[in-house]
């Protein structure tokens, strides 16, 4: 529920309400607005016990949050969340583009792709060091060595780094090297991993699970926020449907739906959604037109030799063309790229 404080409520009154709520077993999240302060009170069906709160000094009223997710919901926070990573923002007017190889393979591969995606306008470099593959016999990633390469290339180019973490035991290690922790589609309902990333100091990119509903996805985000990390970026990457012509089916609907339900930024990964580099540009454009806050795109200097996801990876020149092609689309929806 949301406790709405009267305009001009004092800090002392706000603290007294928080204290009372905490004694009743709620977690409290005060949100200081320009005119009013509201306190998000998250607890499990303890609403009844909170009835006396409405009579406390400085309280205007109490509004229940109807959705099952609370901290993620626009009912609690109406203003869009903008995540700032040393001047690179996600969720603001400027579109955030993350690009790079599916997997980190070598320093040469990573540096080459980083320089090219930066030239084309990307601000964030992606690359997997831990690769959750469908087959245990496929390349599993360079692990810590890959993290080190990412951090070095990030430092040299000024690009921010996003990379996947697949195990609770690695969250701290990955946080030392990455600017954004990626939770992959296959891990979206790994609740221990979500909570662990919720305790991390880095923003989290949460991909939608292969068969997850929007509500399940937002509930997964709620795990991260409720563990203390407010900086979550949602990533639609296609869901599994009866269609086999593409690797997955991009749920374009998810963009306006999530925008209406949640204040969190949402980006789209057209590479995993289509599974084929030839369709990436069209789907990237459609995503921006539909209101996405950015894109995650796989780019490889030589897709035919890529150790994973070569067929969906763009060559750097194609990525550069795509970035140019996005400009008029971005302009049409009042965004900059
Ligand atoms: C990836 O980004 O390389 C990846 C494994 O994506 P997803 O979790 O969406 O399949
Ligand atoms: Mn991939």
């Amino acid at each position: 529920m949301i406790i709405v404080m009267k305009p001009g409520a004092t800090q002392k009154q706000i603290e007294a309400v928080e204290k009372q709520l905490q004694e009743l077993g709620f977690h409290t999240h005060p949100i200081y607005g320009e005119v009013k302060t509201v306190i998000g009170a998250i607890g499990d069906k303890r609403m009844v016990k909170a009835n006396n709160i409405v009579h406390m000094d400085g309280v205007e009223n109490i509004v229940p949050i109807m959705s099952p997710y609370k901290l993620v919901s626009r009912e609690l926070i109406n203003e869009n969340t903008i995540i700032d990573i040393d001047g690179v923002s996600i969720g603001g007017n400027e579109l955030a583009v993350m690009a790079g190889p599916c997997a980190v393979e070598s320093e040469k591969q990573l540096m080459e792709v980083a320089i090219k995606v930066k030239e084309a306008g990307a601000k964030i470099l992606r690359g997997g060091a831990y690769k959750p593959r469908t087959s245990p016999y496929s390349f599993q990633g360079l692990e810590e060595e890959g993290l080190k390469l990412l951090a070095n290339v990030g430092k040299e180019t000024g690009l921010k780094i996003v990379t996947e973490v697949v195990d609770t035991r690695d969250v701290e290690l990955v946080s030392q090297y990455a600017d954004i922790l990626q939770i992959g589609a296959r891990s979206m309902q790994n609740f221990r991993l979500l909570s662990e990333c919720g305790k991390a100091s880095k923003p989290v990119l949460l991909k939608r699970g292969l068969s997850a509903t929007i509500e399940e996805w937002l509930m997964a985000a709620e795990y991260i926020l409720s563990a203390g990390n407010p900086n979550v970026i949602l990533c639609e990457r296609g869901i599994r449907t009866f269609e086999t012509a593409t690797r997955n089916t991009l749920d374009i609907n998810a963009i306006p739906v999530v925008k209406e339900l949640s204040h969190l930024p949402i980006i789209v990964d057209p590479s995993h959604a289509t599974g084929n580099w030839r369709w990436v540009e069209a789907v990237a454009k459609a995503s921006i037109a539909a209101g996405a806050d950015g894109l995650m795109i796989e780019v490889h200097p030589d897709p035919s030799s890529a150790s994973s996801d070569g067929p969906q990876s763009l060559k750097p020149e194609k990525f550069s063309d795509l970035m140019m092609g996005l400009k008029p689309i971005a302009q049409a929806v009042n965004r900059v790229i």
Side-chain angles (χ1 to χ4, degrees), residues 102 126 131-132 164 182-186 207 237 247 269 272 296 298 309:
C102 178
R126 64 144 290 148
K131 294 306 304 173
E164 183 165 352
Q182 177 173 328
I183 297 181
R186 288 156 196 79
K207 288 196 152 195
R237 45 78 75 204
R247 183 173 177 184
D269 170 351
H272 291 85
M296 169 175 265
E298 287 187 340
D309 288 347

Side-chain angles (χ1 to χ4, degrees), residues 177-193:
Y177 294 102
D179 298 295
I180 304 171
L181 307 174
Q182 177 173 328
I183 297 181
R186 288 156 196 79
S187 302
M188 191 209 82
Q189 281 187 318
N190 180 339
F191 299 112
R192 296 284 298 275
L193 182 62

Side-chain angles (χ1 to χ4, degrees), residues 102-106 126-147 150 163-167 169-170 174 186-187 306-309:
C102 178
V104 177
E105 295 164 10
S106 67
R126 64 144 290 148
Y130 297 89
K131 294 306 304 173
R133 307 300 299 281
T134 303
S135 164
Y137 308 117
S138 302
F139 175 61
Q140 302 287 313
L142 296 180
E143 306 192 339
E144 191 170 355
E145 186 51 37
L147 295 175
L150 282 164
T163 194
E164 183 165 352
V165 55
V166 295
D167 194 308
R169 291 167 294 185
D170 299 328
V174 178
R186 288 156 196 79
S187 302
S307 58
S308 70
D309 288 347

Side-chain angles (χ1 to χ4, degrees), residues 201-247:
S201 56
K202 299 289 168 82
V204 177
L205 178 87
L206 178 64
K207 288 196 152 195
R208 183 178 180 180
L210 275 75
S211 305
T213 63
I214 290 174
E215 185 169 305
E216 286 164 342
W217 186 20
L218 294 177
M219 290 305 284
E222 185 81 9
Y223 265 86
I224 304 171
L225 270 78
S226 66
N229 189 343
N231 297 319
V232 172
I233 307 144
L234 298 162
C235 178
E236 162 64 39
R237 45 78 75 204
I239 50 173
R240 183 159 287 184
T241 68
F242 55 81
E243 183 53 73
T244 55
T246 49
R247 183 173 177 184

Side-chain angles (χ1 to χ4, degrees), residues 89-140:
S89 70
I90 302 160
N93 198 41
E94 190 172 346
L95 297 171
V97 180
M98 312 178 183
C102 178
V104 177
E105 295 164 10
S106 67
E107 183 166 17
K108 183 175 175 290
Q109 169 237 24
L110 195 62
M111 188 55 101
E112 185 176 342
V113 89
I115 290 168
K116 299 236 167 97
V117 299
K118 186 181 175 181
E119 267 170 23
K123 301 262 169 68
I124 302 163
L125 177 67
R126 64 144 290 148
Y130 297 89
K131 294 306 304 173
R133 307 300 299 281
T134 303
S135 164
Y137 308 117
S138 302
F139 175 61
Q140 302 287 313

